[in-house]
Amino acid sequence: MQRYNRKAVVNRYANNYRSPQYHTTRNETKLVYVRALPKDVKHGMEIYKRSQAIINKQVNELHKSKPSCQSWLNNYDHFKELKYVNYEISNTLTQYVSSYITKIKDHYLNLSKKSNSLLNEKIEKFNKEWIGNHRNHKLPIDLTGKKVKVEEQTILDKEYLKLYSTLKRDHVPTVYCSPKGDPSQWDYLKNSIENISKKNTICFSFDIEAFEKDNKIITEIGISIYDPRENIHSINPILRNYHLIVSESLSLINKNWVLDMKECFLLGESLVLPLRQCVEFIQNLINFYMVYDPKTSGSWKRAFVGHNIEGDFKWLRSIGVVLPETKSASDLSQSTETESSPTTIVMDTMKIYSAFYGKEGCSLGKILRLFKLPHAFLHNAGNDAYYTLRLLLHLCDVNTRVQCSLDDIEMFQSKAKQLLDRSKEEDKIIPMSYPLTIKSNKQTNNNDSYRKKKDLVPQTEFGGSQWFDDAKDAFESTIESKNNIFKDI
């Protein structure tokens, strides 16, 4: 069998690569390929900071105001009709979810008891062996697990504590979410599972990418929305996905800490907008999906979703986005959840994952890999917002948890440790498409019979990027059909 020559394949395609010509006022600036980008659009750190300064003058006043339910999404028939869809409680589904919660509560209590007993046996055995090898050394830890003060630790103490910590870290299963452990953590998981599985929560997932040389500068905003009102009769979940690229930071490229993936949105067309218009785009989505409107149905809960979400909240507030008051999923009380007092909650996939499986290897990419959820081009804000939402649905849907054995903590903790160990030892795999996006070959072919092939543009073969100077126009471009063709049927 002929051996696959990867280098030859890459070089063959690289011969046809030519750097695309961008609409830019500075020839040395490298931009993503943007359709209809005006030649006079300015970008760079100083340009961004000027736009940010203009917005900052209004930020304090904006944050004093209450979030409004006014949104130009209300002008479109489809979205206007959604606001009047009521949530209908399914007794069968409610019983199914409640039964599951009861079972896993008992399961984690029993598992925690067995796990602690096994861990204590391991520690006791380890201590006996240590004392046997170091007869004159007093253990630097008491029966409660309290360590001696740092300044009082000897070299032997530090060696013991290192081995002791490794023993506890490598112990599986470790139950972090026992109902008898941290009640607030258990409530967080229980309420997150109930809200997703009962299909009564509108989920607004978002992700922010910032410039690595100045984290105050936002380069991309990704949004992915799961609205159960659009999925009542749907087998295939309908998600609305948006990827905004801030035009003022268009030329700011990340390359030292993470790869810049702003041109690799997999779920449609990237929308290139001025910062002020990005804010308007986001605010109108939040006003429609996340703000309670007393004139319409208030029977739906609302949740902001993110992976380590607090930093993303700060970024949104820094550019003047007004957010409704939120509560953690652990703070919910069934007795106070009524139609007249809706709750906007926060569900953090990093927190949910850590509570089930531990804090090691809890980056978004590692978790997606662990659960075999398809993904590519991470660190594109639009992709990450979508993957975070899909991860939430995977972790919190009762049927998925049952069918995929997600409560087999020992199995998944063992797999997570294996993947983490492999990632430390193995080389990082880079897809073949990457060399094509960074290699430029200026050789020409003088053969007259040579048929010129198309130039290779360094972006994905999906939607690409489109310039808009108005947020509403950008939103309209994402609507497949503005009219309901079946409304007269």
Side-chain angles (χ1 to χ4, degrees):
M1 186 173 77
Q2 184 178 4
R3 182 177 175 80
Y4 176 72
N5 191 333
R6 172 173 171 164
K7 185 175 181 181
V9 172
V10 171
N11 288 337
R12 188 177 73 223
Y13 284 101
N15 288 336
N16 302 310
Y17 175 84
R18 180 170 63 86
S19 298
Q21 300 300 310
Y22 302 110
H23 299 291
T24 173
T25 55
R26 289 165 40 178
N27 293 331
E28 72 274 11
T29 301
K30 290 185 177 180
L31 301 177
V32 298
Y33 184 81
V34 182
R35 289 187 286 272
L37 180 67
K39 293 183 178 180
D40 59 350
V41 170
K42 297 180 180 179
H43 37 77
M45 294 180 67
E46 292 303 318
I47 300 297
Y48 182 95
K49 289 178 179 179
R50 285 180 208 167
S51 297
Q52 176 74 78
I54 295 172
I55 292 175
N56 281 342
K57 291 179 181 179
Q58 307 168 1
V59 165
N60 291 333
E61 292 301 320
L62 286 170
H63 289 169
K64 290 178 184 177
S65 62
K66 293 183 178 180
S68 168
C69 57
Q70 297 299 315
S71 169
W72 26 250
L73 274 74
N74 295 315
N75 298 330
Y76 302 97
D77 289 341
H78 171 73
F79 295 98
K80 187 189 300 182
E81 291 168 3
L82 285 181
K83 300 197 77 169
Y84 294 92
V85 176
N86 281 294
Y87 174 64
E88 297 181 5
I89 299 174
S90 167
N91 292 329
T92 303
L93 180 59
T94 300
Q95 290 173 6
Y96 176 65
V97 174
S98 298
S99 174
Y100 169 80
I101 294 294
T102 301
K103 288 178 181 177
I104 64 165
K105 183 176 182 179
D106 294 338
H107 168 70
Y108 284 119
L109 284 170
N110 293 330
L111 186 62
S112 179
K113 186 176 180 180
K114 293 178 182 178
S115 175
N116 290 337
S117 176
L118 180 60
L119 178 59
N120 288 335
E121 289 178 7
K122 291 180 180 179
I123 292 174
E124 185 178 352
K125 181 180 178 181
F126 168 69
N127 286 339
K128 285 181 179 179
E129 292 177 353
W130 178 269
I131 292 172
N133 296 328
H134 309 84
R135 294 187 180 278
N136 297 324
H137 181 247
K138 184 180 177 181
L139 295 180
I141 197 166
D142 61 23
L143 294 176
T144 64
K146 186 177 180 180
K147 304 174 184 178
V148 299
K149 294 180 180 179
V150 175
E151 60 269 17
E152 298 175 1
Q153 290 177 6
T154 65
I155 295 176
L156 268 180
D157 289 339
K158 292 178 181 178
E159 183 183 348
Y160 169 88
L161 291 172
K162 182 178 180 181
L163 294 172
Y164 177 81
S165 298
T166 302
L167 186 151
K168 291 187 68 175
R169 186 181 66 246
D170 292 344
H171 172 69
V172 292
T174 299
V175 182
Y176 301 96
C177 57
S178 173
K180 280 190 176 180
D182 184 349
S184 65
Q185 185 162 260
W186 170 254
D187 288 341
Y188 191 95
L189 296 175
K190 178 178 74 70
N191 291 328
S192 296
I193 291 172
E194 287 180 338
N195 287 324
I196 296 300
S197 295
K198 290 181 180 179
K199 304 177 182 178
N200 64 350
T201 304
I202 300 167
C203 296
F204 191 104
S205 174
F206 63 97
D207 180 76
I208 308 291
E209 292 293 321
F211 185 44
E212 61 188 8
K213 294 182 180 179
D214 187 344
N215 285 333
K216 294 180 180 179
I217 296 178
I218 294 174
T219 57
E220 307 168 52
I221 302 113
I223 297 171
S224 188
I225 299 167
Y226 171 75
D227 189 343
R229 297 172 297 184
E230 289 187 295
N231 288 277
I232 292 175
H233 305 296
S234 179
I235 295 175
N236 180 41
I238 296 173
L239 305 179
R240 295 194 175 270
N241 305 293
Y242 307 97
H243 180 228
L244 310 181
I245 299 177
V246 181
S247 65
E248 288 91 335
S249 54
L250 195 59
S251 57
L252 305 180
I253 306 298
N254 291 331
K255 57 184 178 180
N256 294 323
W257 304 109
V258 296
L259 288 174
D260 195 288
M261 292 292 173
K262 65 166 62 78
E263 75 275 25
C264 297
F265 182 46
L266 302 177
L267 301 158
E269 186 175 63
S270 298
L271 311 174
V272 182
L273 291 159
L275 181 61
R276 178 73 263 178
Q277 293 303 310
C278 287
V279 174
E280 182 176 341
F281 190 104
I282 299 165
Q283 193 66 66
N284 274 271
L285 289 178
I286 288 176
N287 289 355
F288 178 79
Y289 286 104
M290 306 305 289
V291 179
Y292 170 68
D293 185 353
K295 296 179 182 180
T296 58
S297 170
S299 56
W300 300 93
K301 297 179 185 177
R302 295 157 177 82
F304 284 114
V305 180
H307 196 73
N308 197 14
I309 196 173
E310 287 305 318
D312 294 322
F313 274 137
K314 290 179 182 178
W315 269 311
L316 286 185
R317 292 189 183 100
S318 74
I319 59 175
V321 175
V322 180
L323 300 169
E325 185 178 348
T326 60
K327 290 184 179 180
S328 169
S330 60
D331 296 331
L332 295 180
S333 172
Q334 295 293 335
S335 60
T336 62
E337 289 177 11
T338 64
E339 186 171 328
S340 60
S341 59
T343 303
T344 302
I345 60 177
V346 176
M347 289 193 273
D348 191 323
T349 50
M350 178 181 282
K351 186 173 181 178
I352 293 171
Y353 173 85
S354 299
F356 276 120
Y357 309 104
K359 294 183 178 180
E360 286 193 88
C362 61
S363 69
L364 180 59
K366 285 184 173 65
I367 299 174
L368 293 170
R369 187 181 178 193
L370 173 65
F371 294 120
K372 299 180 181 178
L373 296 175
H375 59 281
F377 298 107
L378 291 168
H379 298 297
N380 173 285
N383 295 340
D384 285 1
Y386 169 77
Y387 297 141
T388 299
L389 182 54
R390 292 307 299 249
L391 176 60
L392 177 79
L393 300 179
H394 187 82
L395 287 173
C396 295
D397 174 63
V398 168
N399 189 53
T400 300
R401 295 197 65 83
V402 172
Q403 298 293 335
C404 298
S405 301
L406 296 191
D407 292 300
D408 189 340
I409 300 297
E410 183 172 5
M411 177 180 70
F412 278 101
Q413 285 182 351
S414 298
K415 282 185 177 180
K417 291 181 185 299
Q418 290 173 7
L419 289 175
L420 194 60
D421 290 340
R422 282 173 53 184
S423 68
K424 294 176 182 177
E425 298 173 1
E426 297 177 356
D427 293 333
K428 187 174 180 62
I429 297 173
I430 299 178
M432 283 186 61
S433 56
Y434 282 48
L436 303 183
T437 66
I438 61 176
K439 182 173 181 178
S440 177
N441 190 316
K442 298 181 179 180
Q443 295 179 356
T444 57
N445 193 314
N446 297 321
N447 189 347
D448 294 337
S449 63
Y450 173 74
R451 184 165 63 93
K452 187 179 184 300
K453 296 182 179 180
K454 290 184 178 180
D455 295 327
L456 301 179
V457 176
Q459 65 181 42
T460 65
E461 296 180 11
F462 291 85
S465 303
Q466 173 78 22
W467 160 262
F468 292 92
D469 57 10
D470 182 78
K472 189 175 180 181
D473 290 343
F475 176 76
E476 279 197 356
S477 74
T478 69
I479 304 175
E480 295 294 338
S481 176
K482 298 179 180 62
N483 299 310
N484 182 359
I485 62 173
F486 298 115
K487 65 180 180 180
D488 297 325
I489 296 179

